[in-house]
Amino acid sequence: MDQVNSTEGPDWKLWEQPEGYRSKGLAAFRASLAARRQGDEAFQRFHFALLEAKHAGGKDHGKRETLLEVAQQAGLDMEKFEQDMADRSELGTIGEDYTAGKGSLGVFGTPTFVFTNDQAAYLKINPRSIPTGNDAVTFFERFVDVARDQPDVMEIKRPTPPS
């Protein structure tokens, strides 16, 4: 979000900002890198739990407390997680991921789903009405049918009626 919406110009890079730089997303990126260091399964658990905390729980994914809570829920080694979160040596990975996603797929936000036929789609759901159980499976299948198999559909947005 900070990189995509930056007014700093094309040479400004979020992942190159000094320690303490105020960002809505950098802490979550750093936490994800720390989770990834504990293995693919640990990363997947953390990533899913973070998305759920943000989108279903309304928690601020930029706050350290939220990231620590999610890491604990995901069963990560907390001492290693905190050490790795403080390590800036892999911040360039964020830039590599950003550049690859934006350059080849036009990714501008998460969650963006990339399908095996190279179609990609960003999905935003009202966090107050996320489907569950079989409704979630049905919803996702319908989403995939449109996003993956109907490449001529470029955007669907719902207008918000005045209250």
Side-chain angles (χ1 to χ4, degrees):
M1 175 185 227
D2 294 327
Q3 185 68 36
V4 172
N5 296 325
S6 172
T7 59
E8 300 292 328
D11 294 332
W12 184 87
K13 307 293 186 239
L14 173 62
W15 49 91
E16 294 175 353
Q17 300 312 302
E19 193 66 42
Y21 177 80
R22 295 186 56 99
S23 162
K24 291 185 180 222
L26 189 56
F29 286 131
R30 290 178 75 168
S32 294
L33 290 171
R36 190 182 288 173
R37 285 183 171 182
Q38 294 190 33
D40 288 338
E41 287 183 22
F43 171 75
Q44 292 299 330
R45 288 192 314 269
F46 177 81
H47 188 227
F48 180 77
L50 185 59
L51 287 172
E52 187 172 44
K54 178 178 176 13
H55 295 289
K59 298 208 174 185
D60 184 346
H61 69 288
K63 289 192 173 181
R64 181 176 173 78
E65 307 84 64
T66 300
L67 298 169
L68 292 174
E69 178 184 321
V70 167
Q72 192 161 28
Q73 283 177 334
L76 301 185
D77 175 329
M78 294 304 293
E79 184 176 334
K80 179 168 177 32
F81 179 77
E82 289 191 64
Q83 287 173 349
D84 289 342
M85 251 180 69
D87 181 0
R88 295 180 56 90
S89 68
E90 289 193 40
L91 286 179
T93 303
I94 296 168
E96 292 166 12
D97 289 348
Y98 173 82
T99 302
K102 184 174 190 239
S104 63
L105 299 166
V107 172
F108 60 86
T110 57
T112 295
F113 296 85
V114 180
F115 303 101
T116 55
N117 64 351
D118 289 333
Q119 293 297 315
Y122 169 80
L123 177 65
K124 182 177 182 179
I125 300 175
N126 182 342
R128 292 179 295 281
S129 60
I130 294 174
T132 58
N134 287 337
D135 290 341
V137 173
T138 300
F139 170 82
F140 190 72
E141 288 171 345
R142 289 179 178 164
F143 164 70
V144 170
D145 286 344
V146 172
R148 181 191 63 203
D149 300 332
Q150 302 293 320
D152 294 332
V153 175
M154 299 299 292
E155 184 171 352
I156 299 172
K157 280 195 174 185
R158 295 192 186 275
T160 306
S163 353

